[in-house]
Amino acid sequence: WSAAPRRRPEPRFSWGPGAEGGLRYNRVEGASIGARVDLDLGRLRMDATGRLALARPRPDVEFSVARPTLARDYRLALYNGVREVDPTSRAFGFGNSFNAFFIGRDNGEYYRATGASLEVRPSAVRPQRYALRLFAERQAAVRTEAEFTVAKLWDRDRAFRPNIAADRADLFGAELTLAGGLGARPDGWRAGATLDLDGAGGDFEFGRAALTLRAGLPTLGPLATSFE
């Protein structure tokens, strides 16, 4: 364990466009505005996030405590809110929010989760070669609630597709990510791979694996080429 000194608490508050992920749009929440408070105590870091979804207001909160050490970081979180079925789809990112608001196309799938998780990963100063998350949560379905999209101004029949159907379930499981690579120069040869494994048991059982391979190579002039 690190001997990080205790420090005087200095809360930091951010909300909306000023917070990472503080403003988003999708078909189950509509416009969603978030606010976050961070508190750094040196040996402990705490944060609390709250979110208001305008399409259908519902509690959406998360509270976490992190313990950084010289070798790795630990984070314990309690949460209740809308989650993405597949985090790699980046459904809560700017691109999907832009498409949903202006075009009426939302590529994400969503569910509601109430639970707790413990995350372990290397400290911020070390290579991020692994990440482990243990969780126990209750999952439930959420429906498409949003109706507005800019494209509907000239196409009145434009509507969001339904969200996936889901049964209520109590689950416990784990998610593991392993990553590695060769080459660090953006203008040189690079190669890397990421393996994602996750599974759960409880009311249902499932397992999933995904392997991503990446390669980059220099080309003529100021351009570089990459494959994934």
Side-chain angles (χ1 to χ4, degrees), residues 30 33 47 57 65 69 73 86 141 161 182 185 192-194 202 205 213:
I33 304 172
D47 65 76
V65 178
T69 71
D73 293 345
D86 181 8
R161 62 186 175 88
L182 299 172
R185 292 179 52 186
T194 301
E205 295 182 354
L213 303 177

Side-chain angles (χ1 to χ4, degrees), residues 64-142:
S64 76
V65 178
R67 174 69 164 95
T69 71
L70 294 176
R72 59 190 61 89
D73 293 345
Y74 302 85
R75 182 176 183 266
L76 176 65
L78 304 175
Y79 53 87
N80 177 66
V82 174
R83 295 292 186 269
E84 327 170 65
V85 171
D86 181 8
T88 62
S89 68
R90 301 183 179 90
F92 292 143
F94 173 79
N96 194 64
S97 295
F98 181 92
N99 289 338
F101 183 78
F102 288 99
I103 305 175
R105 179 174 178 176
D106 183 349
N107 291 325
E109 304 290 354
Y110 309 94
Y111 68 100
R112 186 168 189 80
T114 302
S117 66
L118 174 64
E119 299 177 23
V120 183
R121 64 180 64 241
S123 65
V125 298
R126 293 177 178 266
Q128 300 297 301
R129 301 192 184 281
Y130 70 89
L132 174 65
R133 178 176 180 265
L134 308 176
F135 67 88
E137 64 185 27
R138 168 164 292 181
Q139 300 179 355
V142 289

Side-chain angles (χ1 to χ4, degrees), residues 191-211:
T194 301
L195 177 63
D196 294 295
L197 304 170
D198 67 278
D203 291 341
F204 302 101
E205 295 182 354
F206 76 90
R208 178 171 54 183
L211 176 64

